[in-house]
Amino acid sequence: MEIRVLRYYLAVVQQGSIVKAANYLHLTQPTLSRQLQDLERELNQKLLIRGKRKVSLTPEGELFKKRAQEIIQLVDKTKNELSSSIDNIKGDIFIGSGESKTMEYIAKVIKEIRIEYPDIKFHIYSGNAEDVTEKLDKGLLDFGILIQPVDIYKYDYLKLPKKDRWGVVLRKDSALAKKPYIKLEDLKGLPLLNSRQAMRKTFAKNEFIDWFQGEFDNLNTAATFNLVYNAAIMVKAGIGYAITLDKLVDTSLDSELCFKPLYPKLESALDIVWKKNQVFSSAAKLFLNKLRENIINKK
């Protein structure tokens, strides 16, 4: 299976037509069709359903599209890493992160690097811990920023010097909006929107769950969410109250929403992680060293 053919396949998927893809790739239609047929024979799977004007994907074709994209990303990433030298550090750094105000800290380090090394490009992927670690394990990300609770035994890591505070995002016309903070007793019986990552019980200790003093399963969970943007829309619609981290939702004077911290205070630490025995590009190594320097200077 050649990388070139994978690119051909993805071009057909993107263009939605063998004719259009052949024009895009500067190939003849018979040549492209033959390459795709050879690919299907090699895999012993039908990938494309060929219509008169467009093609669609079989279930196997959908899976192969995802794998082909991952392979091409990894190949391109490797080429970029090898193109960098000690004297002329350049290339791409891929970072995955959950939603956190701590990205301001990472952004500061990125800015410092970009001033001195403008040929280094950063690519930020947003997702929850499962999304980030999946891409990290496949080599598609160099680093992942994970919000506790999360299991980091598989990775090397640095603890970031900031913590995020938990609280409740609610409508300003709610009776709870008049309170300075939210206690457990305030949440009982209310429709809640909960973060799926925070709810995970696969860890020996989950400080988020512990805060509810054994009452978490008895709460009225109306919905769960991965990323808080959609949760904020549901809060505006009056569906419930979102338990989330501070500074992630617009709670300015013009907003319909406000944030009230939990009491007793609940905070989550953050770690930046990478695969054990990871061989870094010069650019990624520079980023990690710069990050370490910043963390040490913070102490």
Side-chain angles (χ1 to χ4, degrees):
M1 188 185 307
E2 298 181 35
I3 299 299
R4 170 179 53 84
V5 178
L6 297 184
R7 294 188 190 275
Y8 289 172
Y9 177 75
L10 291 176
V12 172
V13 172
Q14 182 180 27
Q15 298 294 323
S17 160
I18 294 176
V19 174
K20 290 180 180 178
N23 291 333
Y24 172 78
L25 295 166
H26 304 292
L27 296 172
T28 65
Q29 183 182 343
T31 297
L32 180 56
S33 294
R34 186 168 59 253
Q35 294 281 356
L36 296 173
Q37 290 167 2
D38 289 345
L39 177 62
E40 289 178 319
R41 277 195 293 270
E42 181 181 356
L43 296 172
N44 196 29
Q45 294 287 350
K46 186 175 179 62
L47 303 175
L48 300 171
I49 300 171
R50 294 157 174 83
K52 289 183 179 180
R53 295 188 177 179
K54 64 179 183 178
V55 297
S56 57
L57 303 184
T58 65
E60 293 77 15
E62 287 285 357
L63 175 61
F64 187 72
K65 179 187 76 170
K66 180 181 178 183
R67 294 291 180 253
Q69 288 170 335
E70 291 172 349
I71 292 168
I72 294 299
Q73 288 174 23
L74 193 56
V75 167
D76 291 343
K77 183 172 179 291
T78 302
K79 285 181 179 178
N80 288 329
E81 289 171 349
L82 293 175
S83 69
S84 179
S85 67
I86 295 175
D87 297 327
N88 181 27
I89 299 178
K90 60 182 180 179
D92 299 270
I93 298 175
F94 296 82
I95 302 172
S97 176
E99 294 177 303
S100 169
K101 192 173 184 294
T102 299
M103 274 306 296
E104 291 179 354
Y105 181 79
I106 301 299
K108 176 177 176 291
V109 176
I110 290 174
K111 182 180 178 181
E112 290 177 8
I113 291 174
R114 288 274 302 160
I115 291 172
E116 191 172 355
Y117 301 94
D119 290 330
I120 295 179
K121 296 181 178 63
F122 290 84
H123 306 274
I124 309 301
Y125 171 82
S126 297
N128 63 12
E130 290 180 353
D131 298 330
V132 170
T133 53
E134 179 185 1
K135 288 187 176 294
L136 197 63
D137 293 342
K138 289 178 178 177
L140 301 177
L141 296 175
D142 298 300
F143 303 97
I145 299 169
L146 304 179
I147 304 165
Q148 297 292 346
V150 68
D151 200 337
I152 58 174
Y153 79 96
K154 295 192 299 183
Y155 307 105
D156 288 325
Y157 64 94
L158 285 174
K159 285 199 171 296
L160 295 175
K162 299 211 177 236
K163 290 186 176 182
D164 284 339
R165 186 168 186 181
W166 287 91
V168 180
V169 170
L170 60 154
R171 291 174 58 98
K172 287 179 179 175
D173 57 9
S174 166
L176 290 182
K178 298 177 182 178
K179 291 178 171 284
Y181 45 75
I182 303 295
K183 295 182 177 181
L184 175 59
E185 62 193 45
D186 298 321
L187 299 175
K188 291 181 179 178
L190 295 178
L192 303 179
L193 314 177
N194 287 310
S195 162
R196 283 201 289 279
Q197 177 179 326
M199 291 169 60
R200 294 178 67 194
K201 300 180 181 179
T202 56
F203 312 105
K205 183 173 179 59
N206 184 324
E207 293 179 352
F208 177 84
I209 297 293
D210 291 345
W211 186 89
F212 291 89
Q213 303 172 27
E215 293 290 327
F216 188 81
D217 290 336
N218 298 325
L219 296 175
N220 176 16
T221 298
T224 64
F225 61 88
N226 265 5
L227 301 176
V228 75
Y229 179 83
N230 289 335
I233 291 175
M234 289 191 284
V235 174
K236 287 181 182 179
I239 294 171
Y241 300 74
I243 302 178
T244 184
L245 299 171
D246 195 7
K247 309 297 184 186
L248 300 183
V249 173
D250 177 17
T251 55
S252 63
L253 289 175
D254 295 331
S255 173
E256 302 171 48
L257 307 178
C258 62
F259 177 90
K260 299 295 177 179
L262 294 178
Y263 183 84
K265 187 176 185 179
L266 177 63
E267 293 181 319
S268 283
L270 295 102
D271 303 295
I272 185 163
V273 307
W274 59 94
K275 290 170 68 175
K276 289 185 177 179
N277 304 313
Q278 173 84 352
V279 179
F280 285 123
S281 67
S282 298
K285 192 182 299 182
L286 174 71
F287 170 76
L288 184 56
N289 289 338
K290 182 69 72 173
L291 187 62
R292 282 195 175 107
E293 289 175 13
N294 274 265
I295 290 173
I296 290 170
N297 291 336
K298 278 280 183 181
K299 292 180 179 178

